[in-house]
Amino acid sequence: VKRFYHSLRKIEADSAIKAVVLRVSSPGGDAQAAEILNKEIQRIRAKKPVVVSMGEYAASGGYWISANSEKIYADRNTITGSIGVFSLAMNYGKALKKHLDINTAAINTHKHSDMFGGIRAMDNAEVEFMQTQVETIYTKFMLLVSNGRGLEIDYVDAIAQGRVWTGADGVNIKIVDEIGGIKDALNYAALCANVTDYAIEEFPKSKTA
């Protein structure tokens, strides 16, 4: 995330860059990381158009950073959508005792201070807290898609819930604008920026030996 964050800041500050094509090829990841990148992308959009070109995957966090853009292009077989959230909590205390004969103990400053420690099962209050957090992030994801794609929130919920879609299906349900590749996205970005003579520069820069 750090590498992309700095690249996005450079793109935003460079007045010679008139438009951006965001090539997304990601099955997803952490919601916080996706939102950090999304905020930077929206900072760029305040100054110049951003067009999305989806690769093989652009799902979950990959769709999170794509939804608020001028236009989304995808291949027919792109895997996208996965508008949903899940959370996992490890509990390896019993395994340590059973397999390694290691006993565990916690010294707490609060009843729930070790809830993410992984050495005990969560109690009902902690499970409820986790569920609330998941639902809060899911609602934020749906609102982001609703605002970015101009769709009613109830409609977004109906097509979301973690479902994945092909690019072709994505066009039908309005989470993708058009079937097309990177060249189509570049042409549309140039049109949005009202430029005809331009060069293409890639970010982040490839590392050389």
Side-chain angles (χ1 to χ4, degrees):
V1 173
K2 184 177 180 180
R3 187 180 179 208
F4 289 107
Y5 173 87
H6 289 300
S7 292
L8 291 170
R9 279 295 173 99
K10 289 179 181 178
I11 291 168
E12 179 202 353
D14 192 340
S15 60
I17 298 175
K18 302 302 181 183
V20 176
V21 172
L22 183 66
R23 179 67 172 176
V24 180
S25 185
S26 170
D30 182 71
Q32 183 179 28
E35 180 56 13
I36 289 171
L37 295 181
N38 178 60
K39 285 184 176 180
E40 294 308 311
I41 291 165
Q42 298 316 305
R43 285 170 61 99
I44 293 172
R45 280 194 73 207
K47 298 180 178 179
K48 57 198 81 178
V50 176
V51 178
V52 169
S53 170
M54 292 181 168
E56 185 177 359
Y57 301 97
S60 190
Y63 194 77
W64 188 301
I65 66 172
S66 302
N68 279 277
S69 56
E70 267 61 47
K71 194 168 187 177
I72 296 176
Y73 289 90
D75 295 331
R76 294 190 64 83
N77 295 321
T78 294
I79 301 300
T80 189
S82 191
I83 302 165
V85 182
F86 72 92
S87 182
L88 297 174
M90 294 183 65
N91 176 14
Y92 51 83
K94 290 183 178 179
L96 289 176
K97 176 61 178 176
K98 179 179 179 180
H99 298 290
L100 300 176
D101 200 26
I102 296 176
N103 293 310
T104 59
I107 300 174
N108 299 348
T109 57
H110 184 274
K111 178 181 178 181
H112 304 295
S113 61
D114 66 335
M115 66 177 286
F116 295 115
I119 60 174
R120 66 170 177 82
M122 290 184 176
D123 62 27
N124 290 337
E126 291 164 344
V127 171
E128 184 177 346
F129 171 79
M130 288 285 289
Q131 183 62 36
T132 299
Q133 293 298 105
V134 167
E135 291 175 3
T136 297
I137 297 171
Y138 178 58
T139 299
K140 184 173 184 178
F141 198 170
M142 288 196 299
L143 285 170
L144 184 149
V145 175
S146 174
N147 294 331
R149 311 311 302 156
L151 302 170
E152 294 293 332
I153 190 71
D154 289 342
Y155 175 79
V156 174
D157 188 30
I159 62 170
Q161 302 180 39
R163 295 183 183 91
V164 294
W165 307 88
T166 65
D169 289 334
V171 172
N172 293 332
I173 63 172
K174 302 178 183 179
I175 61 171
V176 171
D177 292 303
E178 194 172 318
I179 298 300
I182 187 71
K183 289 185 178 180
D184 298 296
L186 288 167
N187 290 336
Y188 187 74
L191 181 65
C192 290
N194 196 29
V195 295
T196 55
D197 185 15
Y198 59 89
I200 299 170
E201 189 170 358
E202 294 185 8
F203 295 87
K205 303 294 185 183
S206 299
K207 293 183 178 181
T208 57

